[in-house]
Amino acid sequence: MSHDTKTKLVYMANQIATFFKSQPESEAAPGVANHINKFWEQRMRRQLFEILETEENGLDALVLRAAPMIRKPEAEASQVRNA
């Protein structure tokens, strides 16, 4: 993944977090995760998980709290095969 792609994904994820910060605390992280799950293609989510594995990744704390709720692309691929 190029540095430019990483920068764009971090920017996009942080923009989503900024929007959901206006929501109640209990809805903010699930809202971020739901948005990413719904609108980001598997490739983008795969790259996001790569970014999450790096220290000082630049992701907003709300994105970090949402991360466990974001579907990993590998899990989706195996669900489709098993269906």
Side-chain angles (χ1 to χ4, degrees):
M1 166 176 28
S2 74
H3 177 70
D4 192 45
T5 300
K6 176 185 172 185
T7 302
K8 287 178 184 177
L9 287 175
V10 168
Y11 178 78
M12 290 169 56
N14 288 345
Q15 279 188 308
I16 295 164
T18 297
F19 171 80
F20 281 99
K21 284 179 182 179
S22 65
Q23 304 298 313
E25 177 90 19
S26 63
E27 297 173 20
V32 170
N34 183 52
H35 182 90
I36 291 173
N37 286 330
K38 191 172 183 179
F39 296 108
W40 284 28
E41 59 187 47
Q42 289 188 27
R43 176 185 52 86
M44 294 169 70
R45 284 184 280 120
R46 187 175 302 111
Q47 291 172 336
L48 177 62
F49 281 103
E50 290 173 13
I51 293 167
L52 284 162
E53 292 175 3
T54 63
E55 290 185 35
E56 299 191 29
N57 52 34
L59 290 166
D60 187 279
L62 186 52
V63 177
L64 299 176
R65 287 200 311 274
M69 295 175 262
I70 298 171
R71 289 191 309 266
K72 291 188 177 185
E74 297 79 14
E76 288 180 6
S78 67
Q79 288 175 358
V80 170
R81 282 191 294 258
N82 293 331

Coordinates of all heavy atoms in Angstrom, one line a residue:
M1 N 0.9 -1.2 0.0 CA 0.0 0.0 0.0 C 0.9 1.2 0.0 O 1.8 1.3 0.8 CB -0.9 0.0 1.2 CG -1.6 1.2 1.6 SD -2.7 1.2 3.0 CE -2.1 -0.1 4.1
S2 N 0.6 2.1 -0.9 CA 1.4 3.3 -1.0 C 1.1 4.3 0.2 O 0.1 4.2 0.8 CB 1.2 4.1 -2.3 OG -0.1 4.7 -2.3
H3 N 2.1 5.1 0.5 CA 1.9 6.1 1.6 C 0.7 7.0 1.3 O 0.0 7.3 2.2 CB 3.2 6.9 1.7 CG 3.1 8.0 2.7 ND1 3.0 7.7 4.1 CD2 3.0 9.4 2.6 CE1 2.9 8.9 4.8 NE2 2.9 9.8 3.9
D4 N 0.5 7.3 0.0 CA -0.6 8.2 -0.4 C -1.9 7.5 -0.1 O -2.9 8.1 0.4 CB -0.5 8.6 -1.8 CG -1.5 9.7 -2.2 OD1 -1.5 10.7 -1.5 OD2 -2.1 9.5 -3.3
T5 N -2.1 6.2 -0.4 CA -3.3 5.5 -0.1 C -3.5 5.4 1.4 O -4.7 5.6 1.9 CB -3.2 4.0 -0.7 OG1 -3.0 4.1 -2.1 CG2 -4.4 3.2 -0.4
K6 N -2.5 5.1 2.2 CA -2.6 5.1 3.6 C -3.1 6.5 4.2 O -4.0 6.5 5.0 CB -1.3 4.8 4.3 CG -1.3 4.8 5.8 CD 0.0 4.6 6.4 CE 0.0 4.8 7.9 NZ 1.2 4.7 8.5
T7 N -2.5 7.5 3.7 CA -2.9 8.9 4.1 C -4.4 9.1 3.8 O -5.1 9.7 4.6 CB -2.0 9.9 3.4 OG1 -0.6 9.6 3.8 CG2 -2.4 11.3 3.9
K8 N -4.8 8.8 2.6 CA -6.2 9.0 2.2 C -7.2 8.2 3.1 O -8.2 8.7 3.5 CB -6.4 8.6 0.8 CG -5.8 9.6 -0.2 CD -6.0 9.2 -1.6 CE -5.3 10.2 -2.6 NZ -5.5 9.8 -4.0
L9 N -6.8 6.9 3.4 CA -7.7 6.1 4.2 C -7.8 6.6 5.6 O -8.9 6.6 6.2 CB -7.3 4.6 4.2 CG -7.5 3.9 2.8 CD1 -6.9 2.5 2.9 CD2 -9.0 3.8 2.5
V10 N -6.7 7.0 6.2 CA -6.7 7.6 7.5 C -7.5 8.9 7.5 O -8.3 9.1 8.4 CB -5.2 7.9 8.0 CG1 -5.2 8.7 9.3 CG2 -4.5 6.5 8.2
Y11 N -7.4 9.7 6.5 CA -8.1 10.9 6.4 C -9.6 10.6 6.4 O -10.4 11.2 7.1 CB -7.7 11.7 5.2 CG -8.5 13.0 5.0 CD1 -8.2 14.1 5.8 CD2 -9.5 13.1 4.0 CE1 -8.9 15.3 5.6 CE2 -10.2 14.2 3.8 CZ -9.9 15.4 4.6 OH -10.6 16.5 4.4
M12 N -10.0 9.7 5.5 CA -11.4 9.3 5.4 C -12.0 8.7 6.7 O -13.1 9.1 7.1 CB -11.6 8.3 4.2 CG -11.3 8.9 2.9 SD -11.2 7.6 1.6 CE -12.8 6.8 1.7
A13 N -11.3 7.8 7.3 CA -11.7 7.2 8.6 C -11.9 8.3 9.6 O -12.9 8.3 10.4 CB -10.8 6.2 9.0
N14 N -10.9 9.2 9.7 CA -11.0 10.3 10.7 C -12.2 11.3 10.4 O -12.8 11.8 11.3 CB -9.7 11.0 10.8 CG -8.6 10.2 11.5 OD1 -8.9 9.2 12.1 ND2 -7.4 10.6 11.3
Q15 N -12.5 11.5 9.1 CA -13.6 12.3 8.8 C -14.9 11.7 9.3 O -15.8 12.4 9.8 CB -13.7 12.5 7.3 CG -12.8 13.6 6.7 CD -13.2 13.8 5.3 OE1 -13.2 12.9 4.5 NE2 -13.4 15.1 4.9
I16 N -15.0 10.4 9.1 CA -16.2 9.6 9.6 C -16.3 9.8 11.1 O -17.4 10.0 11.6 CB -16.1 8.2 9.2 CG1 -16.2 8.0 7.6 CG2 -17.2 7.3 9.8 CD1 -15.8 6.7 7.1
A17 N -15.2 9.6 11.8 CA -15.2 9.8 13.2 C -15.6 11.2 13.7 O -16.4 11.3 14.6 CB -13.8 9.4 13.8
T18 N -15.1 12.2 13.0 CA -15.5 13.5 13.3 C -17.0 13.7 13.2 O -17.6 14.3 14.1 CB -14.8 14.5 12.3 OG1 -13.4 14.4 12.5 CG2 -15.2 16.0 12.6
F19 N -17.6 13.2 12.2 CA -19.1 13.3 12.1 C -19.8 12.6 13.3 O -20.7 13.1 13.9 CB -19.6 12.6 10.8 CG -21.1 12.5 10.7 CD1 -21.8 13.6 10.4 CD2 -21.7 11.3 11.0 CE1 -23.2 13.6 10.4 CE2 -23.1 11.3 11.0 CZ -23.9 12.4 10.7
F20 N -19.3 11.4 13.6 CA -20.0 10.6 14.6 C -19.7 11.1 16.1 O -20.4 10.7 17.0 CB -19.7 9.1 14.5 CG -20.6 8.5 13.4 CD1 -20.0 8.3 12.1 CD2 -21.9 8.2 13.6 CE1 -20.8 7.7 11.1 CE2 -22.7 7.6 12.6 CZ -22.1 7.4 11.4
K21 N -18.8 12.0 16.2 CA -18.5 12.6 17.5 C -19.7 13.4 18.0 O -19.8 13.6 19.2 CB -17.2 13.4 17.5 CG -16.0 12.6 17.5 CD -14.7 13.5 17.5 CE -13.5 12.6 17.4 NZ -12.3 13.4 17.4
S22 N -20.5 13.8 17.1 CA -21.7 14.6 17.5 C -22.8 13.7 18.0 O -23.8 14.2 18.5 CB -22.2 15.5 16.3 OG -22.6 14.6 15.2
Q23 N -22.7 12.4 17.8 CA -23.7 11.5 18.3 C -23.5 11.1 19.7 O -22.4 11.3 20.3 CB -23.6 10.2 17.4 CG -23.7 10.4 15.9 CD -25.1 11.0 15.5 OE1 -26.1 10.5 16.0 NE2 -25.1 12.0 14.7
P24 N -24.5 10.5 20.4 CA -24.3 10.1 21.8 C -23.1 9.1 21.9 O -22.9 8.3 20.9 CB -25.6 9.4 22.1 CG -26.6 10.0 21.2 CD -25.9 10.3 19.9
E25 N -22.4 9.1 23.0 CA -21.2 8.2 23.1 C -21.5 6.8 22.8 O -20.7 6.1 22.2 CB -20.7 8.4 24.6 CG -19.6 7.5 25.0 CD -18.2 8.2 24.7 OE1 -18.2 9.4 24.6 OE2 -17.2 7.4 24.6
S26 N -22.7 6.3 23.2 CA -23.0 4.9 23.0 C -23.2 4.6 21.5 O -23.2 3.4 21.1 CB -24.3 4.5 23.8 OG -25.4 5.3 23.3
E27 N -23.5 5.6 20.7 CA -23.7 5.3 19.3 C -22.6 5.7 18.4 O -22.6 5.3 17.2 CB -25.0 6.2 18.8 CG -26.2 5.8 19.6 CD -27.4 6.7 19.2 OE1 -27.3 7.5 18.2 OE2 -28.3 6.8 20.0
A28 N -21.6 6.4 18.9 CA -20.5 6.9 18.1 C -19.6 5.8 17.4 O -19.5 5.8 16.2 CB -19.6 7.9 18.9
A29 N -19.0 5.0 18.3 CA -18.2 3.9 17.7 C -18.9 2.9 16.8 O -18.5 2.6 15.7 CB -17.4 3.2 18.8
P30 N -20.1 2.5 17.3 CA -20.9 1.6 16.4 C -21.3 2.3 15.1 O -21.3 1.7 14.0 CB -22.2 1.3 17.2 CG -21.7 1.4 18.6 CD -20.7 2.6 18.6
G31 N -21.5 3.6 15.1 CA -21.8 4.4 13.9 C -20.7 4.4 12.9 O -20.8 4.2 11.7
V32 N -19.5 4.6 13.5 CA -18.3 4.6 12.6 C -18.1 3.2 12.0 O -17.9 3.1 10.8 CB -17.0 5.0 13.4 CG1 -15.7 4.7 12.6 CG2 -17.1 6.4 13.9
A33 N -18.2 2.2 12.8 CA -18.0 0.8 12.3 C -19.1 0.5 11.2 O -18.8 -0.1 10.2 CB -18.1 -0.2 13.4
N34 N -20.3 0.8 11.5 CA -21.4 0.6 10.6 C -21.2 1.3 9.2 O -21.4 0.7 8.2 CB -22.8 1.0 11.2 CG -23.9 0.6 10.3 OD1 -24.0 -0.5 9.8 ND2 -24.8 1.6 10.0
H35 N -20.8 2.5 9.3 CA -20.5 3.3 8.1 C -19.4 2.6 7.3 O -19.5 2.4 6.0 CB -20.1 4.7 8.4 CG -19.9 5.5 7.2 ND1 -20.9 6.2 6.6 CD2 -18.8 5.8 6.4 CE1 -20.4 6.9 5.5 NE2 -19.1 6.6 5.4
I36 N -18.3 2.2 7.9 CA -17.2 1.6 7.2 C -17.6 0.2 6.7 O -17.3 -0.1 5.5 CB -15.9 1.5 8.1 CG1 -15.4 3.0 8.3 CG2 -14.9 0.6 7.5 CD1 -14.3 3.1 9.3
N37 N -18.3 -0.5 7.5 CA -18.8 -1.8 7.0 C -19.7 -1.7 5.8 O -19.7 -2.5 4.9 CB -19.5 -2.6 8.1 CG -18.6 -3.1 9.2 OD1 -17.5 -3.4 8.9 ND2 -19.1 -3.2 10.4
K38 N -20.5 -0.7 5.8 CA -21.6 -0.5 4.7 C -21.0 0.1 3.4 O -21.4 -0.3 2.3 CB -22.7 0.4 5.3 CG -23.9 0.4 4.4 CD -25.0 1.2 5.1 CE -26.3 1.2 4.3 NZ -27.4 1.9 5.0
F39 N -20.1 1.0 3.6 CA -19.7 1.8 2.4 C -18.2 1.5 1.9 O -17.9 1.9 0.8 CB -19.8 3.3 2.6 CG -21.3 3.7 2.9 CD1 -21.7 4.0 4.1 CD2 -22.2 3.6 1.8 CE1 -23.1 4.3 4.3 CE2 -23.5 4.0 2.0 CZ -24.0 4.3 3.2
W40 N -17.4 0.9 2.7 CA -16.0 0.7 2.3 C -15.9 -0.7 1.7 O -16.4 -1.7 2.3 CB -15.0 0.8 3.4 CG -14.7 2.2 3.9 CD1 -15.6 3.3 3.7 CD2 -13.6 2.6 4.5 NE1 -14.9 4.4 4.3 CE2 -13.7 4.0 4.7 CE3 -12.4 2.0 4.9 CZ2 -12.7 4.8 5.3 CZ3 -11.4 2.8 5.5 CH2 -11.6 4.2 5.7
E41 N -15.3 -0.9 0.5 CA -15.2 -2.2 -0.1 C -14.1 -3.0 0.7 O -13.4 -2.4 1.5 CB -14.8 -2.0 -1.6 CG -13.5 -1.3 -1.8 CD -13.3 -1.0 -3.3 OE1 -14.2 -0.6 -4.0 OE2 -12.2 -1.3 -3.7
Q42 N -14.1 -4.3 0.4 CA -13.2 -5.2 1.2 C -11.7 -4.7 1.1 O -11.0 -4.8 2.1 CB -13.3 -6.6 0.6 CG -14.6 -7.3 1.0 CD -14.6 -8.7 0.6 OE1 -13.5 -9.3 0.6 NE2 -15.8 -9.3 0.3
R43 N -11.3 -4.3 0.0 CA -9.9 -3.9 -0.2 C -9.6 -2.7 0.8 O -8.5 -2.7 1.4 CB -9.7 -3.4 -1.7 CG -8.3 -2.9 -1.9 CD -8.2 -2.4 -3.4 NE -9.2 -1.5 -3.7 CZ -9.2 -0.1 -3.5 NH1 -8.2 0.4 -2.9 NH2 -10.2 0.6 -3.9
M44 N -10.5 -1.8 0.9 CA -10.3 -0.6 1.7 C -10.2 -1.0 3.2 O -9.4 -0.6 4.0 CB -11.4 0.4 1.5 CG -11.4 1.1 0.2 SD -12.9 2.0 -0.2 CE -12.6 3.4 1.0
R45 N -11.1 -1.9 3.6 CA -11.1 -2.4 5.0 C -9.9 -3.2 5.3 O -9.3 -3.1 6.4 CB -12.4 -3.2 5.3 CG -13.6 -2.3 5.5 CD -14.8 -3.0 5.9 NE -15.5 -3.6 4.7 CZ -15.7 -4.8 4.5 NH1 -15.4 -5.7 5.5 NH2 -16.3 -5.3 3.4
R46 N -9.4 -4.0 4.3 CA -8.2 -4.8 4.5 C -7.0 -3.8 4.7 O -6.2 -4.1 5.6 CB -7.9 -5.7 3.3 CG -6.8 -6.6 3.4 CD -6.6 -7.6 2.2 NE -7.8 -8.3 2.0 CZ -8.6 -8.2 0.9 NH1 -8.4 -7.3 0.0 NH2 -9.7 -8.9 0.8
Q47 N -7.0 -2.8 4.0 CA -5.9 -1.8 4.1 C -6.0 -1.1 5.5 O -5.0 -0.8 6.1 CB -5.9 -0.8 3.0 CG -5.5 -1.4 1.7 CD -5.7 -0.5 0.5 OE1 -6.5 0.4 0.5 NE2 -4.9 -0.8 -0.6
L48 N -7.3 -0.8 5.9 CA -7.5 -0.2 7.2 C -6.9 -1.0 8.3 O -6.2 -0.6 9.2 CB -8.9 0.1 7.4 CG -9.3 0.7 8.8 CD1 -8.6 2.1 9.0 CD2 -10.8 0.8 9.0
F49 N -7.1 -2.4 8.2 CA -6.6 -3.3 9.3 C -5.1 -3.3 9.2 O -4.4 -3.4 10.3 CB -7.2 -4.7 9.1 CG -8.6 -4.7 9.7 CD1 -9.7 -4.8 8.9 CD2 -8.8 -4.8 11.1 CE1 -11.0 -4.8 9.5 CE2 -10.0 -4.8 11.7 CZ -11.1 -4.8 10.8
E50 N -4.5 -3.1 8.1 CA -3.0 -3.0 8.0 C -2.5 -1.8 8.7 O -1.5 -1.8 9.4 CB -2.6 -3.0 6.5 CG -2.7 -4.4 5.8 CD -2.4 -4.3 4.3 OE1 -1.8 -3.3 3.9 OE2 -2.8 -5.2 3.6
I51 N -3.3 -0.7 8.5 CA -2.9 0.6 9.1 C -3.0 0.4 10.7 O -2.2 0.9 11.4 CB -3.8 1.7 8.6 CG1 -3.5 2.0 7.1 CG2 -3.6 3.0 9.4 CD1 -4.5 2.8 6.4
L52 N -4.1 -0.2 11.1 CA -4.3 -0.4 12.5 C -3.2 -1.2 13.2 O -3.0 -1.0 14.4 CB -5.7 -1.1 12.8 CG -6.9 -0.3 12.6 CD1 -8.1 -1.2 12.4 CD2 -7.1 0.7 13.8
E53 N -2.5 -2.0 12.5 CA -1.4 -2.8 13.1 C -0.1 -1.9 13.3 O 0.8 -2.4 13.9 CB -1.1 -4.0 12.2 CG -2.2 -5.0 12.1 CD -1.9 -6.1 11.2 OE1 -0.9 -6.1 10.5 OE2 -2.8 -7.0 11.0
T54 N -0.1 -0.7 12.7 CA 1.1 0.1 12.9 C 1.0 1.1 14.0 O -0.1 1.5 14.3 CB 1.4 0.9 11.6 OG1 0.3 1.8 11.3 CG2 1.6 0.0 10.4
E55 N 2.1 1.3 14.7 CA 2.1 2.3 15.8 C 1.9 3.7 15.2 O 2.4 4.0 14.1 CB 3.3 2.2 16.6 CG 3.4 0.9 17.5 CD 4.6 0.9 18.4 OE1 5.0 2.0 18.9 OE2 5.1 -0.2 18.6
E56 N 1.4 4.6 16.0 CA 1.3 6.0 15.5 C 0.7 6.1 14.1 O 1.3 6.7 13.2 CB 2.6 6.7 15.6 CG 3.1 6.8 17.1 CD 4.3 7.7 17.3 OE1 4.4 8.7 16.5 OE2 5.1 7.5 18.1
N57 N -0.5 5.4 14.0 CA -1.1 5.3 12.6 C -1.9 6.6 12.2 O -2.3 6.7 11.1 CB -1.9 4.1 12.6 CG -2.9 4.0 13.7 OD1 -3.4 5.0 14.2 ND2 -3.2 2.8 14.2
G58 N -2.1 7.5 13.1 CA -2.8 8.7 12.8 C -4.3 8.6 12.9 O -5.0 9.6 12.6
L59 N -4.8 7.4 13.3 CA -6.3 7.3 13.4 C -6.8 7.9 14.7 O -6.2 7.8 15.7 CB -6.6 5.8 13.3 CG -6.4 5.1 12.0 CD1 -6.4 3.6 12.1 CD2 -7.4 5.6 10.9
D60 N -8.0 8.5 14.5 CA -8.7 9.1 15.6 C -9.0 8.0 16.7 O -9.3 6.9 16.3 CB -10.0 9.8 15.1 CG -10.7 10.6 16.1 OD1 -11.4 9.9 16.9 OD2 -10.5 11.8 16.1
A61 N -9.1 8.4 17.9 CA -9.4 7.5 19.0 C -10.8 6.8 18.8 O -11.0 5.6 19.1 CB -9.4 8.2 20.4
L62 N -11.7 7.5 18.2 CA -13.0 6.9 17.9 C -12.9 5.8 16.8 O -13.6 4.8 16.9 CB -14.0 8.0 17.5 CG -15.5 7.6 17.3 CD1 -16.0 6.9 18.5 CD2 -16.3 8.8 17.0
V63 N -12.1 6.0 15.9 CA -11.8 4.9 14.9 C -11.2 3.7 15.6 O -11.6 2.6 15.3 CB -10.9 5.4 13.7 CG1 -10.7 4.3 12.7 CG2 -11.5 6.6 13.0
L64 N -10.3 3.9 16.5 CA -9.7 2.8 17.2 C -10.7 2.1 18.1 O -10.7 0.8 18.2 CB -8.6 3.3 18.1 CG -7.4 4.0 17.4 CD1 -6.4 4.6 18.4 CD2 -6.8 3.1 16.4
R65 N -11.7 2.8 18.7 CA -12.7 2.2 19.5 C -13.7 1.4 18.6 O -14.3 0.4 19.0 CB -13.5 3.2 20.3 CG -12.7 3.7 21.5 CD -13.6 4.3 22.6 NE -14.6 5.3 22.1 CZ -14.3 6.6 21.9 NH1 -13.1 7.1 22.1 NH2 -15.3 7.4 21.5
A66 N -13.9 1.9 17.3 CA -14.8 1.2 16.4 C -14.2 0.0 15.7 O -14.9 -0.9 15.3 CB -15.2 2.2 15.3
A67 N -12.8 -0.1 15.7 CA -12.1 -1.2 15.0 C -12.6 -2.6 15.3 O -12.8 -3.4 14.4 CB -10.6 -1.0 15.2
P68 N -12.8 -3.0 16.6 CA -13.3 -4.3 16.8 C -14.6 -4.7 16.2 O -15.0 -5.8 16.0 CB -13.4 -4.4 18.3 CG -12.5 -3.3 18.8 CD -12.6 -2.2 17.8
M69 N -15.4 -3.6 15.8 CA -16.7 -3.8 15.2 C -16.7 -3.8 13.7 O -17.7 -4.1 13.1 CB -17.7 -2.7 15.8 CG -18.0 -2.8 17.2 SD -19.0 -1.4 17.8 CE -17.7 -0.3 18.4
I70 N -15.6 -3.5 13.1 CA -15.4 -3.5 11.7 C -15.2 -4.9 11.2 O -14.3 -5.6 11.7 CB -14.3 -2.5 11.3 CG1 -14.7 -1.1 11.7 CG2 -14.1 -2.6 9.7 CD1 -13.5 -0.1 11.5
R71 N -15.9 -5.3 10.2 CA -15.8 -6.6 9.7 C -14.5 -6.8 8.9 O -14.2 -6.0 8.0 CB -17.0 -7.0 8.7 CG -18.3 -7.2 9.4 CD -19.3 -7.8 8.5 NE -19.5 -7.0 7.2 CZ -20.4 -6.1 7.0 NH1 -21.2 -5.7 8.0 NH2 -20.4 -5.5 5.9
K72 N -13.8 -7.9 9.2 CA -12.5 -8.2 8.5 C -12.9 -8.8 7.2 O -13.7 -9.7 7.1 CB -11.6 -9.1 9.3 CG -11.1 -8.4 10.5 CD -10.0 -9.2 11.2 CE -9.5 -8.4 12.4 NZ -8.4 -9.1 13.1
P73 N -12.3 -8.4 6.1 CA -12.7 -8.9 4.8 C -12.5 -10.4 4.6 O -13.3 -11.1 4.0 CB -11.7 -8.2 3.8 CG -11.4 -6.9 4.5 CD -11.4 -7.3 6.0
E74 N -11.5 -11.0 5.3 CA -11.2 -12.5 5.2 C -12.4 -13.2 5.7 O -12.8 -14.3 5.2 CB -10.0 -12.9 6.0 CG -8.7 -12.3 5.5 CD -8.5 -10.9 5.9 OE1 -9.1 -10.4 6.8 OE2 -7.6 -10.2 5.3
A75 N -13.0 -12.7 6.8 CA -14.2 -13.4 7.4 C -15.4 -13.4 6.4 O -16.1 -14.4 6.3 CB -14.6 -12.7 8.7
E76 N -15.6 -12.3 5.7 CA -16.7 -12.2 4.8 C -16.5 -13.2 3.6 O -17.4 -13.8 3.2 CB -16.8 -10.8 4.2 CG -17.3 -9.8 5.2 CD -17.4 -8.4 4.6 OE1 -17.2 -8.3 3.4 OE2 -17.7 -7.5 5.3
A77 N -15.2 -13.3 3.1 CA -14.9 -14.2 2.0 C -15.2 -15.6 2.4 O -15.8 -16.4 1.6 CB -13.5 -14.1 1.6
S78 N -14.9 -16.0 3.6 CA -15.2 -17.4 4.1 C -16.6 -17.7 4.3 O -17.1 -18.7 4.0 CB -14.4 -17.8 5.3 OG -14.8 -17.0 6.4
Q79 N -17.4 -16.6 4.7 CA -18.8 -16.8 4.9 C -19.5 -17.0 3.5 O -20.4 -17.8 3.4 CB -19.4 -15.5 5.5 CG -19.1 -15.5 7.0 CD -19.6 -14.2 7.6 OE1 -20.1 -13.3 7.0 NE2 -19.3 -14.0 8.9
V80 N -19.1 -16.3 2.5 CA -19.6 -16.4 1.2 C -19.4 -17.8 0.6 O -20.2 -18.5 0.1 CB -19.1 -15.4 0.2 CG1 -19.4 -15.6 -1.2 CG2 -19.5 -14.0 0.6
R81 N -18.2 -18.4 0.8 CA -17.8 -19.7 0.4 C -18.6 -20.8 1.1 O -18.9 -21.8 0.5 CB -16.3 -20.0 0.6 CG -15.4 -19.3 -0.5 CD -14.0 -19.8 -0.3 NE -13.4 -19.4 1.0 CZ -12.6 -18.4 1.1 NH1 -12.2 -17.7 0.1 NH2 -12.1 -18.1 2.3
N82 N -18.9 -20.5 2.4 CA -19.6 -21.5 3.1 C -21.1 -21.5 2.9 O -21.9 -22.3 3.4 CB -19.3 -21.4 4.6 CG -17.9 -21.7 5.0 OD1 -17.3 -22.5 4.3 ND2 -17.4 -21.1 6.0
A83 N -21.6 -20.5 2.3 CA -23.1 -20.3 2.1 C -23.6 -21.2 1.0 O -23.0 -21.8 0.2 CB -23.4 -18.9 1.7

